[in-house]
Amino acid sequence: MWTVLSVSGVSLARMTTYVLLPGAASDSRYWRLVVPLLRAHGHEVVTPDLPCEDDTAGFEEYADVVVDAVRGYSDLVVVAQSMAGFTAPIVATRVPVRRIVLVNAMVPVAGETGDQWWATSGSSAAMRANDVREGRDPNREFDPVEVFLHDVPEALWEEPLGQSGRPFETVWPLERWPDVATSAVVSAGDRLFPVGFQRELLRVRLGVEPVEIDGGHLPALANPDGLVRALVGIG
């Protein structure tokens, strides 16, 4: 969105800077369809590559990379895909952030590690129940195509990067969610984090009612237009 300022009776416009954080085993390429759409709306976009393959990097080091990437930018809206839900709030404690937008994201609480989150949030049980409802064998071998890419055009499929386990072993360092406006976008067809699970998690942990769009877990690839409409609508 454009924020309108008034200086000595003269109206000035300030563009939003969208800071797009990818999920696990991913990088800035994930956002390649979203970036030009946001820029077409007149916004700045920053897409830092997080150190997902670095075994010495936890969530605080991920946040270090983001903080370095946004130097010189203002009016920041940090958009966090999936695992980046652990990183975005840390960033918001270090630099001025106007809003956090979670996209099919993990939402941590104090004292929780990434590994613990799957059980403490109820995510694993919710995925299993959703598989049963939709006729998939909950005991099958994990298939990333079935879970992540089922609605992504095959031309956009890429080999994932390596993902270090280090962040998942590290306790989330914050005592609470930062005092920053937080919104969420959820995908109706997410097979990893079913939409009903996400709605409940966001309500209980953040008191947030999400915007729902079509698509699976990776809407920046499967439904970039819908995701951008949601982001711009949130502002």
Side-chain angles (χ1 to χ4, degrees):
M1 67 179 289
W2 287 87
T3 302
V4 179
L5 307 175
S6 180
V7 180
S8 300
V10 178
S11 293
L12 304 174
R14 182 179 66 198
M15 70 181 68
T16 292
T17 300
Y18 285 92
V19 185
L20 308 181
L21 308 185
S26 187
D27 61 13
S28 56
R29 291 173 298 173
Y30 171 67
W31 301 107
R32 60 189 179 276
L33 302 181
V34 168
V35 169
L37 296 176
L38 286 173
R39 287 179 174 156
H41 281 277
H43 303 302
E44 292 274 12
V45 184
V46 179
T47 56
D49 288 328
L50 304 180
C52 63
E53 297 181 304
D54 184 349
D55 287 333
T56 69
F59 290 121
E60 295 204 68
E61 287 74 26
Y62 282 39
D64 290 341
V65 170
V66 181
V67 169
D68 286 343
V70 300
R71 295 189 193 283
Y73 292 94
S74 61
D75 199 37
L76 304 180
V77 172
V78 179
V79 180
Q81 166 72 31
S82 196
M83 191 181 84
F86 273 79
T87 302
I90 303 173
V91 173
T93 67
R94 299 188 186 176
V95 294
V97 170
R98 178 165 60 79
R99 182 176 296 275
I100 296 169
V101 183
L102 302 168
V103 180
N104 297 328
M106 302 170 79
V107 181
V109 293
E112 194 171 55
T113 68
D115 277 340
Q116 292 169 339
W117 184 90
W118 303 97
T120 55
S121 70
S123 168
S124 296
M127 180 181 177
R128 184 179 181 86
N130 188 62
D131 283 341
V132 172
R133 274 195 305 272
E134 296 185 354
R136 292 183 294 276
D137 178 4
N139 299 313
R140 71 200 184 285
E141 184 178 352
F142 186 85
D143 181 352
V145 173
E146 184 180 60
V147 175
F148 297 120
L149 300 173
H150 59 94
D151 64 336
V152 175
E154 192 167 350
L156 298 176
W157 292 8
E158 293 179 344
E159 284 295 319
L161 301 174
Q163 174 59 59
S164 169
R166 174 68 175 170
F168 293 99
E169 300 163 358
T170 306
V171 173
W172 190 58
L174 302 186
E175 295 184 358
R176 62 181 181 85
W177 198 265
D179 188 18
V180 173
T182 301
S183 303
V185 178
V186 298
S187 295
D190 193 336
R191 294 179 179 178
L192 182 67
F193 302 151
V195 65
F197 157 75
Q198 290 199 63
R199 286 185 175 278
E200 180 68 5
L201 183 73
L202 290 161
R203 183 187 66 79
V204 170
R205 294 196 169 188
L206 295 178
V208 167
E209 179 65 28
V211 175
E212 185 173 324
I213 62 173
D214 292 335
H217 189 65
L218 304 177
L221 297 175
N223 184 15
D225 292 305
L227 177 56
V228 169
R229 282 195 299 271
L231 294 177
V232 172
I234 290 168

